[in-house]
Amino acid sequence: MSRNDDPQFWQNARRHLVRYGGRFEPMIIERAHGSFVYDADGRAILDFTSGQMSALLGHGHPEIAEVVADHAQRLDHLFSGMLSRPVVELATKLAGVAPAGLERALLLTTGAESNEAALRLAKLYTGRHEVVGFAQSWHGMTGGAASATYSAGRRGYGPAAVGSFAIPAPYPYRPRFERGGVYDWQAELDYAFDLVDRQSCGSLAAFIAEPILSSGGILELPPGYLAALKAKCVERGMLLILDEAQTGIGRTGLMFACQRDGVTPDIMTLSKTLGAGLPLAAVLTTAEIEETCHERGFLFYTTHVSDPLPAAVGAKVLDIVARDHLVERARIAGARLEAGLRALQRDFECIGDVRGRGLLLGLELVKDRATREAAPELGAAITRECMRLGLSMNIVQLPGMGGVFRIAPPLTVSDTEIDLGLDLLRQAITRVLAAGAR
């Protein structure tokens, strides 16, 4: 009998846990180390999503564990009006690696919280309230962040914040605008903002965007798009907020994904990767925006703002990423992973597209490459088979697209582990297709 089949555990789980989306895997995870998690039977499962896309340095990194242990005993949590050395150290280090001008930091706990703070800064600074985002976006499940989240979770909770608008995210694999048979994202963007202008009451405050929409299906903004988007914001007196929760701190092969385009946002939010799996987030902005908002009474006083323990973890994460050349490693390992995924694409007709950057890649499944018809059942079956084989994969299934695997192993992943993941994925696809053919 499997130790995962613990009747008391599952009875307590059913009786006492609030289910918050999706379903729970039918296993009990007892420990995690490096690129693997281990269930109650001791079975190793290769984690190709870095936990919740967050364990940038793998699980149980010894130096992170040492920082946590030290600060848990010595300096963990403070009254929010007190400052500590780890907080100032992390803010200083972030200013040193962020795009030029983003020199003021607010340290928080989650991505949703950092996006809430960013939206409040933008509204206070501009004196406006309307917020525009992508229709495939995910920025969090709290009030303002949820109002700017369109990929899921909007039904049944009453009205979103007044002034919430959405435009389609660029999707080259399924283009809506074409010119001469080529995807015309500029025409799509122009048309989208024409609609925004017609709906706006003249109070546009900000556009919030992910450089790569992860929960939206690894939709990457094409080269030139981010600069064009920034220009649209400048024309309207809006601020550009970039949510780099999943793309920041080296994952795409650059410290921040926006650096590929040479575009500096007015506000940047970080979370997930900054804490390498621990709850830490940050809002970065310019001195001018921070000074103005402070003069106007900016308020974001939360229980765990500027806590020293997570700040110390964030500082150590930045040190390790720099010392171990993990930004470069993300480029090299990402190229190996992408080459393996493209080899699978050549061998399996059900793989319609491979996309993304560095160690944040997407693989879209379809029933037919010619029609690009979605294949949600196939994606779900492959996901289950991957888990049976010992590979944890996350698949995004949204209306209008096929199932898209989000693949984001830790930056510390080895070549051997990448090859293992590719082999397990190949086995899973082969088995599922064979079963379907019988």
Side-chain angles (χ1 to χ4, degrees):
M1 177 179 173
S2 170
R3 289 186 175 88
N4 292 301
D5 300 328
D6 181 338
Q8 190 63 54
F9 176 91
W10 292 110
Q11 179 180 329
N12 290 341
R14 286 190 295 271
R15 181 175 295 175
H16 301 300
L17 293 181
V18 173
R19 288 162 290 185
Y20 42 83
R23 65 178 184 86
F24 296 117
E25 293 289 345
M27 64 182 67
I28 304 169
I29 301 301
E30 298 286 10
R31 65 186 182 92
H33 182 74
S35 298
F36 292 87
V37 299
Y38 298 84
D39 71 3
D41 293 328
R43 187 173 71 112
I45 301 165
L46 182 59
D47 184 0
F48 251 33
T49 61
S50 300
Q52 192 66 35
M53 324 299 284
S54 303
L56 192 76
L57 306 178
H59 298 283
H61 192 287
E63 291 176 80
I64 299 300
E66 184 179 354
V67 170
V68 172
D70 176 39
H71 280 79
Q73 298 179 69
R74 189 168 56 84
L75 185 60
D76 55 357
H77 165 73
L78 292 171
F79 172 65
S80 298
M82 293 179 176
L83 286 179
S84 61
R85 292 187 185 278
V87 167
V88 175
E89 179 187 11
L90 178 54
T92 302
K93 288 183 175 181
L94 285 171
V97 297
L102 300 180
E103 58 188 76
R104 301 280 171 95
L106 174 64
L107 304 183
L108 300 164
T109 54
T110 69
E113 190 180 31
S114 64
N115 287 328
E116 291 288 344
L119 292 169
R120 286 176 69 88
L121 282 167
K123 291 176 179 180
L124 187 62
Y125 179 78
T126 61
R128 304 173 182 180
H129 70 276
E130 294 174 333
V131 175
V132 187
F134 286 124
Q136 295 84 350
S137 62
W138 183 290
H139 297 293
M141 288 285 98
T142 56
S147 292
T149 293
Y150 294 93
S151 62
R154 296 187 70 86
R155 295 183 181 274
Y157 304 100
V162 173
S164 298
F165 301 119
I167 70 170
Y171 196 171
Y173 184 63
R174 298 176 184 276
R176 299 173 184 85
F177 282 69
E178 290 184 304
R179 181 172 297 169
V182 177
Y183 176 45
D184 189 347
W185 58 258
Q186 183 68 65
E188 183 178 59
L189 182 64
D190 291 342
Y191 181 68
F193 264 88
D194 180 58
L195 293 179
V196 168
D197 290 338
R198 291 173 184 273
Q199 296 172 80
S200 170
C201 68
S203 189
L204 291 168
F207 194 108
I208 183 168
E210 303 161 84
I212 301 175
L213 285 80
S214 177
S215 295
I218 311 295
L219 302 182
E220 182 178 9
L221 304 187
Y225 190 100
L226 196 54
L229 179 59
K230 179 68 180 287
K232 296 288 187 187
C233 292
V234 171
E235 289 169 5
R236 292 159 178 80
M238 305 167 66
L239 299 190
L240 176 61
I241 302 169
L242 288 185
D243 178 353
E244 294 234 15
Q246 296 193 34
T247 55
I249 319 299
R251 180 166 287 288
T252 67
L254 292 169
M255 195 64 180
F256 305 100
C258 65
Q259 291 173 318
R260 182 201 68 175
D261 300 87
V263 173
T264 299
D266 301 289
I267 303 173
M268 177 189 291
T269 61
L270 303 171
S271 53
K272 294 182 181 291
T273 56
L274 180 61
L278 277 77
L280 173 64
V283 181
L284 305 180
T285 192
T286 65
E288 197 273 332
I289 290 174
E290 193 277 334
E291 293 284 354
T292 299
C293 288
H294 174 68
E295 291 169 3
R296 294 176 181 174
F298 177 68
L299 180 65
F300 206 83
Y301 212 91
T302 71
T303 301
H304 295 287
V305 65
S306 293
D307 263 357
L309 189 155
V313 168
K316 178 60 70 173
V317 169
L318 294 180
D319 288 346
I320 294 170
V321 167
R323 183 197 68 202
D324 295 348
H325 309 288
L326 293 182
V327 176
E328 181 183 5
R329 174 60 187 162
R331 287 197 297 272
I332 295 170
R336 185 184 190 94
L337 178 58
E338 182 179 354
L341 294 175
R342 294 200 180 280
L344 292 175
Q345 183 182 26
R346 289 192 295 272
D347 293 341
F348 295 104
E349 284 291 318
C350 63
I351 298 177
D353 194 28
V354 174
R355 53 184 180 258
R357 273 189 270 159
L359 284 174
L360 181 59
L361 297 174
L363 183 152
E364 180 163 350
L365 300 171
V366 293
K367 291 182 181 178
D368 182 273
R369 281 191 187 175
T371 64
R372 302 181 184 180
E373 183 182 353
E377 297 85 4
L378 178 63
I382 293 173
T383 303
R384 290 192 298 270
E385 188 62 30
C386 281
M387 185 60 77
R388 277 193 286 268
L389 291 169
L391 176 63
S392 176
M393 296 281 279
N394 174 271
I395 193 162
V396 176
Q397 293 183 347
L398 297 176
M401 63 167 60
V404 182
F405 283 114
R406 293 192 295 169
I407 306 173
L411 271 56
T412 52
V413 68
S414 69
D415 288 350
T416 300
E417 290 163 347
I418 289 173
D419 294 344
L420 173 62
L422 290 166
D423 181 59
L424 294 174
L425 179 56
R426 177 180 290 275
Q427 290 183 48
I429 296 173
T430 300
R431 292 186 183 187
V432 169
L433 293 179
R438 289 198 293 269

